[in-house]
């Protein structure tokens, strides 16, 4: 895998295929391997960049809070190294928060944006309290926290169906150091509300949601695109669309990219 240094911190990435650039940003407790099944198909027509966010995968930690803005600047450094001027961003969950921060900081570099099982809204007070509880929980029982967190991302119906995949995601999550987990939880907790970007930016945008997402309430998240031109794709399952709805996701993304 390739890497650069951002503020003396190693950032790992992969670069596959040729064509217009697609940047895939993984979620919390995930890493760039999350996209392994999707990359071969997308890279037939596009240049696909996957990046390990701060404190995840093979990227190092940078301090005690990994803000979405700091992550976005690390992503920008990778794209600068690769001389990529414009890209379409696909952000899964926390990766969507980073993509939105990037879009705010570097609007000229964004050709399109997909929020995948993600939201433009800031954390509610209740969610902030949950982040604090999660920080305490992971410090107390690292293994237990990861096992429970990963299983809870899938819709209840799929937890048996995807036993092998859930185990694989858990094993990858266990590579995330404690500092990386805590710093990301702190960063997500303080992130800005960026709903305005869905209303005021002119590049194509898409929101992909799971009807039975245990993390993001489906109905609540529809509100953010009311009165916008943001396209909506709905899957019947949980928070892990890249696994639970892999084939459908592939088709939806390729159709969206084709229209840009």
């Amino acid at each position: 895998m390739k890497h650069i240094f951002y503020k003396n911190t190693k950032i790992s990435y992969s670069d596959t295929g040729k064509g217009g650039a697609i940047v895939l940003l993984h979620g919390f407790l995930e890493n760039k391997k999350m996209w392994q099944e999707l990359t071969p198909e997308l890279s037939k027509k596009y240049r696909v960049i996957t990046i390990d966010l701060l404190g995840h995968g093979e990227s190092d930690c940078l301090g005690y809070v990994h803000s979405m803005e700091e992550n976005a600047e690390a992503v920008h450094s990778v794209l600068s190294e690769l001389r990529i001027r414009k890209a379409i961003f696909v952000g899964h969950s926390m990766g969507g928060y980073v993509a939105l921060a990037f879009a705010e900081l570097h609007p000229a570099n964004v050709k399109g944006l997909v929020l995948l099982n993600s939201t433009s809204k800031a954390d509610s007070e209740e969610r902030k309290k949950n982040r604090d509880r999660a920080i305490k929980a992971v410090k107390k029982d690292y293994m237990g926290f990861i096992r429970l967190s990963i299983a809870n991302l899938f819709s209840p119906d799929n937890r048996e169906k995807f036993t092998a995949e859930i185990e694989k995601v858990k094993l990858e999550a266990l590579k995330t150091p404690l500092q990386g987990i805590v710093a990301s939880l702190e960063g997500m907790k303080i992130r800005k509300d960026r709903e305005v970007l869905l209303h005021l930016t002119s590049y194509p945008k898409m929101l992909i949601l799971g009807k039975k997402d245990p993390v993001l309430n489906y109905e609540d998240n529809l509100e953010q695109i009311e009165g916008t031109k943001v396209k909506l794709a709905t899957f019947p399952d949980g928070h892990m669309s890249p696994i639970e709805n892999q084939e459908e996701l592939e088709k939806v993304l390729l159709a969206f990219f084709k229209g840009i």
Side-chain angles (χ1 to χ4, degrees), residues 154-224:
F154 291 78
S155 72
D157 314 344
N158 281 338
R159 284 170 202 166
E160 278 188 41
K161 183 182 172 185
F162 289 104
T163 309
E165 288 83 353
I166 290 172
E167 199 51 42
K168 199 174 163 187
V169 177
K170 279 181 191 170
L171 289 173
E172 287 301 325
L174 286 166
K175 295 177 185 174
T176 317
L178 179 61
Q179 186 187 341
I181 293 173
V182 173
S184 295
L185 286 164
E186 294 283 10
M188 288 190 284
K189 187 176 75 176
I190 60 167
R191 75 181 190 282
K192 286 169 62 178
D193 189 299
R194 292 191 165 91
E195 196 175 331
V196 67
L197 292 177
L198 301 185
H199 291 261
L200 298 183
T201 52
S202 58
Y203 45 76
K205 294 169 287 292
M206 175 174 261
L207 177 65
I208 302 175
L209 297 174
K211 264 271 172 78
K212 295 177 188 168
D213 190 327
V215 181
L216 295 172
N217 180 276
Y218 178 74
E219 300 300 333
D220 290 351
N221 278 286
L222 286 181
E223 290 172 14
Q224 66 188 308

Side-chain angles (χ1 to χ4, degrees), residues 11-244:
I11 307 294
S12 179
Y13 68 92
S14 72
D15 179 5
T16 318
K18 288 181 179 162
I22 309 289
V23 178
L24 303 177
L25 301 175
H26 65 79
F28 176 59
L29 296 178
E30 300 165 7
N31 58 51
K32 61 183 177 302
K33 286 187 181 174
M34 181 73 191
W35 307 106
Q36 273 181 336
E37 306 300 322
L38 205 56
T39 301
E41 200 54 43
L42 297 185
S43 61
K44 287 177 185 174
K45 292 184 178 177
Y46 301 96
R47 183 180 184 184
V48 180
I49 315 299
T50 69
I51 301 170
D52 281 338
L53 298 174
L54 293 169
H56 286 70
E58 296 173 283
S59 288
D60 293 335
C61 293
L62 177 62
Y64 295 102
V65 178
H66 291 158
S67 69
M68 301 305 104
E69 293 82 1
E70 195 77 87
N71 271 296
E73 294 298 12
V75 168
H76 187 253
S77 289
V78 172
L79 300 187
S80 298
E81 173 75 16
L82 298 177
R83 298 187 178 178
I84 292 171
R85 201 175 60 82
K86 269 188 180 267
I88 301 171
F89 291 79
V90 179
H92 180 242
S93 198
M94 184 180 79
Y97 311 153
V98 175
L100 284 161
F102 185 99
E104 185 177 271
L105 292 163
H106 303 285
N109 300 127
V110 181
K111 197 175 173 186
L113 175 66
V114 179
L115 296 181
L116 173 58
N117 310 115
S118 192
T119 179
S120 62
K121 295 181 178 186
D123 271 359
S124 64
E125 287 310 309
E126 184 55 37
R127 296 263 307 178
K128 286 177 183 175
K129 285 175 189 168
N130 286 342
R131 302 270 187 217
D132 287 332
R133 287 186 197 110
I135 289 167
K136 282 180 186 169
V138 73
K139 284 179 177 177
K140 192 176 176 183
D141 180 8
Y142 173 87
M143 293 277 288
F145 172 81
I146 284 182
R147 290 189 181 282
L148 194 61
S149 298
I150 298 303
N152 286 344
L153 296 174
F154 291 78
S155 72
D157 314 344
N158 281 338
R159 284 170 202 166
E160 278 188 41
K161 183 182 172 185
F162 289 104
T163 309
E165 288 83 353
I166 290 172
E167 199 51 42
K168 199 174 163 187
V169 177
K170 279 181 191 170
L171 289 173
E172 287 301 325
L174 286 166
K175 295 177 185 174
T176 317
L178 179 61
Q179 186 187 341
I181 293 173
V182 173
S184 295
L185 286 164
E186 294 283 10
M188 288 190 284
K189 187 176 75 176
I190 60 167
R191 75 181 190 282
K192 286 169 62 178
D193 189 299
R194 292 191 165 91
E195 196 175 331
V196 67
L197 292 177
L198 301 185
H199 291 261
L200 298 183
T201 52
S202 58
Y203 45 76
K205 294 169 287 292
M206 175 174 261
L207 177 65
I208 302 175
L209 297 174
K211 264 271 172 78
K212 295 177 188 168
D213 190 327
V215 181
L216 295 172
N217 180 276
Y218 178 74
E219 300 300 333
D220 290 351
N221 278 286
L222 286 181
E223 290 172 14
Q224 66 188 308
I225 60 167
E226 282 176 16
T228 73
K229 292 181 180 176
V230 178
K231 291 180 179 175
L232 174 69
T234 299
F235 295 143
D237 298 298
H239 193 70
M240 297 297 277
S241 295
I243 294 171
E244 292 174 280

